[in-house]
Amino acid sequence: MKFSQFLLSWASLAGLASMAASPALAQQQRDVPESEQSDIELGTTSGTPSGGEIVVQGRRLRGQLDVEQAPLLELNAEDIAGEGVTSIADLVTQVTNQTGSARGRGGGGRPVILVNGIRIGSFRELRSYPPEALEKVEVFPEEVAQRFGFSPDRRVINLILKEDFSSREIELEFEGPSSGGYIALEQELGYLKIADGGRFNANFEARDLSLLTESERDLIQTPGSISELASDPDQAEFRSLIADSLQLEGSLSWAKAIVDSGTSLSANINYTRNQSRSLSGLNIVELEDGAGNTLLRTFGEDDPLERRVSADTYQASGSLTRPLGAFRLTATFDGSRIDSETEIDQRFDTQALQDAATAGTLALDGALPTSAEAGFETARSRNWTATSKVTARGPLADLPGGELLATFDAGYSWDRIESSDTRSLVDTSLTRGDLEGGLNLVIPITSTRTGFADALGSFTLNAQVGADYLSDFGTLTDWTAGLTWAPTGNLDLTATYIEREVAPSLGNLGNPEIITLNTPVFDFVNGETVLASVTTGGNPDLLAETQRDWRFAANWSLPFWRGTRLGVEYIRNRSDDVTSNFPVLTEEIENAFTDRVTRDADGTLVALDRRAVTFAETRAERLQFSLFTRGSWGGARPGAGRGGRPGGGGPPGSGRPTGAGGPTGGGRPDGAGRRGGGAGGPPTAEQREQFMAFRTRICADDGLDVLTRLVAAVEAGEDTSDILPSFNPERFGRMLSRARDENGEITPERIAQFRTRFCSMDPAMMRGGGGGGGEQAGAGQGGRPQGAGRPPGNPLASGFGRDGRGRYFVNLTHTLELANEILIAPGLQPLDLLDGDSTSSFGQARNATRLEGGIFRNGMGMRISGRYTGSARIDGSTLLGSPDLFFDDLATVDLRVFSDLGRILGKDEGFLKGFRIALRADNIFDARRRITDGNGNTPINFQPQLIDPTGRFVGIDLRKVI
C-alpha cells in the first residue's frame, strides 16, 4: 500500500470529522480561546489499520496557540532534550537567536512568556522548572504580542507543560577560565509536581564567584598610578577585574486550574540576596623633598580601596484567568522591593606625609603606612515596583474571513526610588504612576480557512491604539497598524508600523549621584588613557522619546527542504529626543556637551559627567536573515514507543482493550507485532520518498488544481499517471467514498478544506500503525496502550530520543546594518556610526552573525554556538591629531557536550538513573578582540584581557533528577 494513499485517507477522514461537527460543538469551542482548547485528535479512526498501512496522527496540544502568524520555532520534548539545558530559564536564554526582536535601535524588548497559552504574572513562576516538564515550546513573531496587551516589538514564547510530571533535582556546577584566576560554583535544589490541573515548585540556588585581579592577567597599569619605587606594592594586585560575589535565591510557585469554572490561578514569591566586593587600587601620594625631588609612591596594602555592595530583593507575582462570556479575562500582578547599599572607601589624607617629606623627616623612599583606613561613604537606595495588567480577549463579530478578535487591556504601574548618599547633602525621592489602556483588533480580510476569497490567500489586519498617563510626564500615546498576508500555506509576509512615546526610566532620572575618583577613561580627543573623577547617577532634565518603526518580514517554510524555515526582516527606525547613556568622549561629543567635561590648563581630562543625555534624533536601518532547519536520522529501535500523556494517548474512550483489533475484535495476540516497514514498523525510505513527493505536489501553488484533477479523474475512471505518477486510483477512490456529502457529491469546498488540513500538518507526525514493533505500539496491537511510552512522573522517559533516532538542528542568523546615524543636537552634523563616528567604546560593526547547532541521540548530545562580530572604526580628533582606533572582527565558538550517564553505561537504574553530566567550553579558541591605533599599538584601556578577562571558560555540570 502506498504511503501517500494512506496519508490521504487520514486527511480525508480528518476533514470529514471537522465538517461534520455540530453547531453546539462549534459554539463550545468558540467560548474557549484558542490556547485553552482540549487536545484534538485529528486522525483517529474506529478501525485498525490493515497490514502494511501507515497511520499519520496529528494532535493539537492543550495550550497551543491558534493564530494567523506561523510560529518561528517549535520544539517538542525530544527537541528540548537535545538542547542540553537544565532549566526553562536556560532554554529561553539558549534560543535567544529565535526569541530576540530586531526592532528599534538594536532590538526590541524581552519576549512575552505564556504558559499553556496564558499570560502569567512573572517568568519567575517557572524559570527554574526542569526542561523535562515541557511538552512543547512555540515562538511567535512580534505581531502576536498584541493579542496579549503588549506592543509588537516583543516576540512571544508559549511554554506548554506536561499534564503529569514530578521531579526532585540537585545540580552542581564547577566552572572557571582555563587560564585560572577565579572559579564559579553553583548549587541548585529543586522540587516540582504537576498533577490534577495544579503545580507546585520550590527552588533554591546559590552562586559564588571568586575575585580576579589585574595582576592575574598581567595588565599594563594606567600612567600616574604606578609607584616609582620598586619595593612599593603593585597596584595591579589591588584592582579587580571580576568582583568577589555571592548570590542566594529562593523561590516558591503555585498554580491551580479549576476545571468546573474554567478558572486558573498562579502565585510566586521570591527572595534574592546579592553581595559583592571589588577593589579600586591603592592610595597614591607624590612626595617632594626640600630640594624639589619628587617620587610617586603607593601604600596601604593592608587596606586597599574597596567597593562593597549588598542588595536584598523581595518579589511576588500572581495571575487569575477565567472565562467571561465569549472572552477570556486575565489579570496579573508583579511587585518587587530592592534594598541596596553601596560602601565606597575614602582615600587616605596624604597631607601629613607630604609635609613630612618636605620637612625631611620622611625620606622619599622611606617606609609608608601599610594600613590606610579612612572610613567610607555610603549610598543607599530602595526601589519599589508594582505592575498590574488586565486583558480581555475574545471575538466581537463573525466576518466572511473569520472572527473579528479583540483584546482590551488596562493596567497600572507604580515605581518609587528613595536614595541617599553621604557625599550629597540632598536625598532623592521619586515616584511615578502609570495608568495605561489599549485596544487591539485582529481583522480577517480573506481566509483560506473559511474559503472566503481564498484565491488571494489569507489577509489579516492588526490595529492597536493605546495611551499612558504618567504622573511625572503627562499623557503618552502609541498606535500600531500591521498587515499579514499568507499567499500559500508555507509563506507569511508581514508589514507593521509602530509609533509611540516613551518616558525615560526613573533610574535614569533619579539614581543617586556618585563621584568615583581615579577611574581610567580613554580620552579620544587626546588619544590617551587618564585617571579622572567620573560622575554617575540620574539626570532629571531628560525628555520623553518618540519612536517610529517600520518592519517588513517574510517567513517561508521551505517546501523542498523538510523542517526548514527561511526568514528575512527589514527594520527602519526613526526616533526623536532619545535617552542614551553618555557616549565615549570624542571631539563631537565634547563640543555638544561642554558642561560635562572638565580639563586642566594643559588640556588633560580630569573630570567627566557620565549621566544620561538626550540626543535630538536617531536613524537606523537593518536587514536580518535567518535560516533554521531541524530533523532526525536513523531508524527507530524495534518496540520504541513514542510516548504521550501518562495513562493514554488518544482522547477519552479512544483506547481499546489489549488484543482488540478492528471492529470485529480480530486483532493479533499480545506482542505479535511485526517489524520493519510492514505493519507497525516505521515507513520505508521508498514510502517516505513517495509521501514527500505527493505532499510537495499537492501543497505547491497549483496543488489545489492538481488535487481537483485527481478527484475528477478518479470519478471518471480515467488514467491518473499523467497527473501524478505512482498514484493508486483504486485506493483513492475508496477514500473518496467517505468524503462525499449527503448527496453523494465531493464539492470543491470539501476538496479545498482537505488540502488545507493536509498541507498544514507537520510530516514529522507520521507514526507506524499495526503491531508492537512500530514507532507507536497502539492499544490492542501488542505492547503497551497508547501513551504508555513514558511512565507517569518520570522526567527522563521522554525527550531523550528514546525511540533511538538521532536529532539535529542548525540555526543561522545574520544582521546587516544598513544605516545608523545620531543627530546630537539641531544644527550639528549627524554622527555616522558605520563610518568612524561612535557613541560607544567599541564602535558599530556593520555585520554580525550567530550560528547555533546541535546533535542528539541515545542520551548523548552536543551543542555548538558561534558568534561573529565584524570590524569597526572610531575616528580620532582631526584638530589635535589623536589616532584613529581600529577594531578587528571577532569570532567565538562555544561547545557543550552532555549525556545521560545511566543510558550510556547501560545501567539506567539506581543512582545512575536520571544522572546527567555535561561539559562546557565557552570561547573554546580563547579569542579576544584586538584593538589598535594607526601605529598598531593597543591603548591601555583596550587591552584584550581587560576587555575580556575570562577568555576560554570551561566547566562541568552534574545533575541528578529523581
Side-chain angles (χ1 to χ4, degrees), residues 106-128:
R110 294 176 300 174
V112 177
I113 303 293
L114 309 178
V115 178
N116 298 331
I118 299 175
R119 188 167 53 86
I120 57 176
S122 169
F123 183 45
R124 294 189 307 273
E125 292 184 19
L126 75 161
R127 66 183 180 187
S128 61

Side-chain angles (χ1 to χ4, degrees), residues 424-501:
S424 173
L425 300 178
V426 180
D427 293 346
T428 301
S429 180
L430 291 176
T431 303
R432 170 183 292 175
D434 181 2
L435 179 64
E436 63 174 276
L439 168 65
N440 172 249
L441 296 176
V442 179
I443 308 169
I445 302 174
T446 67
S447 175
T448 56
R449 291 187 179 185
T450 64
F452 177 71
D454 55 351
L456 300 176
S458 292
F459 278 94
T460 304
L461 177 65
N462 278 273
Q464 181 185 38
V465 293
D468 292 67
Y469 177 76
L470 278 68
S471 58
D472 58 338
F473 255 82
T475 301
L476 304 175
T477 60
D478 64 272
W479 66 274
T480 301
L483 183 66
T484 298
W485 177 36
T488 67
N490 55 7
L491 177 63
D492 285 348
L493 303 175
T494 303
T496 306
Y497 178 76
I498 307 172
E499 183 166 324
R500 63 182 176 184
E501 297 171 310

Side-chain angles (χ1 to χ4, degrees), residues 276-350:
S276 66
R277 181 181 66 93
S278 58
L279 302 180
S280 303
L282 298 172
N283 281 278
I284 305 172
V285 62
E286 186 176 45
L287 301 178
E288 182 177 358
D289 60 17
N293 300 311
T294 62
L295 188 68
L296 187 66
R297 302 284 304 276
T298 58
F299 66 98
E301 60 270 29
D302 291 346
D303 293 296
L305 299 173
E306 291 186 355
R307 184 185 184 97
R308 297 170 295 277
V309 180
S310 61
D312 295 286
T313 303
Y314 310 87
Q315 297 168 302
S317 65
S319 67
L320 166 66
T321 300
R322 60 161 300 161
L324 187 66
F327 280 72
R328 171 63 62 170
L329 179 71
T330 301
T332 59
F333 167 80
D334 188 14
S336 68
R337 191 185 93 175
I338 304 175
D339 296 332
S340 176
E341 181 177 274
T342 302
E343 296 178 347
I344 307 102
D345 283 351
Q346 291 182 314
R347 291 191 172 272
F348 188 80
D349 186 354
T350 61

Side-chain angles (χ1 to χ4, degrees), residues 143-156:
E143 287 72 22
V144 177
Q146 297 174 100
R147 286 175 171 256
F148 299 93
F150 298 95
S151 59
D153 63 347
R154 305 168 65 178
R155 290 187 174 174
V156 176

